[in-house]
Amino acid sequence: EGIVDRKLKPWVKKKVAEFLGEEDISMTSYILRKVELCNTAQPMLVPRTPDQLVADLKELLDEDAEEFVVKMWRMLIFEVLRAQLTSAAG
């Protein structure tokens, strides 16, 4: 179970519920798939940049898409760095 499952998924689920007023599993899954494409090393998949992610989410989140993506990346970067520091302190 990685950072995406432990930290990002619950965060996205919460933010989607805040935005829509209720949970939406399909929207949460859609966003997580887009994030995974941003980080993929699989040559058959076209990686997405954060800017492309904003463009993809603009259709769903309107003017909130950029703020959503910025907050999401900050949280993800924080969790990755924390995991690295924890394993280095080991």
Side-chain angles (χ1 to χ4, degrees):
E1 185 174 275
I3 291 172
V4 169
D5 288 330
R6 284 185 293 111
K7 300 293 183 173
L8 186 61
K9 185 176 182 177
W11 185 90
V12 169
K13 188 176 179 181
K14 176 183 167 192
K15 294 300 180 184
V16 166
E18 287 175 10
F19 182 75
L20 297 178
E22 64 183 6
E23 286 186 15
D24 185 330
I25 295 168
S26 62
M27 187 171 181
T28 299
S29 296
Y30 174 81
I31 292 169
L32 292 172
R33 279 193 311 273
K34 294 293 183 177
V35 171
E36 288 170 356
L37 286 177
C38 287
N39 295 310
T40 189
Q42 298 176 18
M44 297 300 289
L45 297 174
V46 178
R48 309 295 287 166
T49 66
D51 288 337
Q52 290 169 322
L53 185 57
V54 169
D56 290 344
L57 297 181
K58 233 173 189 28
E59 183 177 311
L60 301 169
L61 301 175
D62 298 319
E63 69 275 353
D64 296 321
E66 186 171 348
E67 180 181 354
F68 179 89
V69 170
V70 168
K71 287 181 178 181
M72 183 174 58
W73 282 115
R74 284 181 184 156
M75 188 274 300
L76 193 55
I77 290 167
F78 172 81
E79 292 298 337
V80 167
L81 291 174
R82 182 165 70 164
Q84 289 174 347
L85 289 173
T86 301
S87 71

